[in-house]
Amino acid sequence: MTTPIYSAKNSDPQKSLYVVPAETPEKKRLAAQYLFKRALYGWNSPIPPVIDVSHLTNVLDVAAGTCIWTFDFASLHGVSERLSEGAEDRIHLYACDIETKVLPEKSLTDPLHLTTFQHDVTMPFPKYLHGKFDLVHISFLLMCLTKDGWKQALRHCNDVLKLGGMIMIDEADPVLYAHPSSLPPDDGAGHDLKRALTAAGWIGQANRICVGMSIANDFLIDISFRLPELLRLAGFDVQYSVRKVFPNGPPCRSILSGPIAAEYEEFTVTNFMFICKYLAAALLAQGKLYSPDGTLVATEEAKEKILVDVTNGLRQEGGVTIASCYVARKV
């Protein structure tokens, strides 16, 4: 469901900022998650048609993780042939993340002349990068940033973009629903968190983990609903937007088409539960894991029962969340 979770406001240089270990299985999961997102949006490209690669010279992937998006972007016609040092109208690729250990090895980045560096997007970028980029990409920072954190991140991305440069953001909201008909309307005010947290059965238990973690850290939850205004306040004009129902488990059969539906039905269950396992453990350790009726979950055994219930519910019934993508121009 989400990328590894970190909290910039609780940064400790001696401690990893990632709840999920940044090891090989996690890198494979993130790659599979990226391919699922492409399938969900129905894109045959890492960028929507509103972005014209012929106008790009410098591209930055923020919170890049494994750089899977950058590698995909680098394979595009109109990009791949412009990456070498002697290329006419060369494209320069950059990627940053809050921790360098999730970034790919030089054996993978060097052939693309990809420059990677460590950076927390809630902090200002170095002055020499200001006004440098034609495109900035951000993906899946849900359960990572507070509302103020998002404001800072967008402001700092604006700083490094050229006038007229574009920012592309694809995100998801960490609130699970039983059926697409239960989702709040696109023009609604956002999610009813009380209803989500007190939902009966495994749906409520799942939200007590994902939404509960967001509340505990004051992370922005209504990302799909708040991004347009946040982008406007940061000096952007939205050029493109799309919202999708993000299926987990059996809803893949009706939302996705073709043979990929069966493939992603199981992946979305294991992906969601992979994250839930780490979130539930963190909440239990903090004394902040609750059941839908508000009872504190205080034992390892009770936590494990919740995880089993959510896994069975996802596998047998499934659930949905909201995914969205925005492309905005610096004005």
Side-chain angles (χ1 to χ4, degrees), residues 77-253:
H77 175 70
V79 176
S80 59
E81 62 271 30
R82 297 167 55 198
L83 293 175
S84 62
E85 290 185 353
E88 185 177 353
D89 193 22
R90 184 181 171 193
I91 287 183
H92 302 264
L93 302 179
Y94 297 77
C96 65
D97 198 276
I98 198 168
E99 283 197 4
T100 57
K101 67 182 180 182
V102 297
L103 294 168
E105 299 80 9
K106 285 179 66 63
S107 62
L108 298 174
T109 60
D110 283 354
L112 303 179
H113 303 282
L114 169 59
T115 301
T116 62
F117 60 99
Q118 185 172 12
H119 187 74
D120 174 355
V121 72
T122 64
M123 303 298 291
F125 284 92
K127 289 286 187 181
Y128 70 87
L129 292 178
H130 286 200
K132 181 179 183 67
F133 296 99
D134 306 286
L135 174 64
V136 170
H137 170 260
I138 299 177
S139 179
F140 268 34
L141 282 178
L142 72 156
M143 291 192 285
C144 289
L145 300 179
T146 66
K147 184 175 181 179
D148 284 342
W150 270 104
K151 289 179 178 179
Q152 293 164 0
L154 294 176
R155 198 160 53 239
H156 299 149
C157 288
N158 185 290
D159 288 340
V160 298
L161 279 166
K162 299 173 184 175
L163 185 64
M166 308 280 267
I167 186 170
M168 174 184 170
I169 306 176
D170 65 274
E171 284 295 340
D173 295 355
V175 185
L176 191 68
Y177 294 84
H179 191 272
S181 62
S182 304
L183 293 170
D186 290 356
D187 59 354
H191 301 282
D192 184 337
L193 298 185
K194 181 178 180 181
R195 184 177 179 183
L197 290 168
T198 58
W202 70 271
I203 289 280
Q205 291 174 324
N207 282 325
R208 280 290 182 175
I209 296 171
C210 297
V211 178
M213 174 61 82
S214 298
I215 291 173
N217 290 277
D218 197 27
F219 295 144
L220 182 64
I221 297 172
D222 296 327
I223 304 172
S224 295
F225 296 90
R226 304 290 169 246
L227 268 179
E229 178 64 8
L230 289 172
L231 284 164
R232 187 190 67 80
L233 292 173
F236 292 99
D237 180 44
V238 174
Q239 305 288 300
Y240 166 93
S241 65
V242 61
R243 185 173 294 185
K244 291 287 186 178
V245 178
F246 189 122
N248 295 274
C252 287
R253 304 172 199 169

Side-chain angles (χ1 to χ4, degrees), residues 19-74:
V19 171
V20 180
E23 298 167 351
T24 298
E26 171 62 357
K27 292 179 179 180
K28 290 181 178 178
R29 184 191 71 83
L30 290 174
Q33 179 178 265
Y34 172 74
L35 295 176
F36 169 75
K37 285 194 298 176
R38 272 194 53 171
L40 177 63
Y41 285 113
W43 292 343
N44 57 6
S45 167
I47 54 174
V50 70
I51 299 175
D52 182 355
V53 298
S54 68
H55 295 157
L56 305 180
T57 302
N58 294 294
V59 176
L60 172 64
D61 192 4
V62 171
T66 62
C67 293
I68 182 66
W69 178 87
T70 304
F71 291 135
D72 198 15
F73 177 82

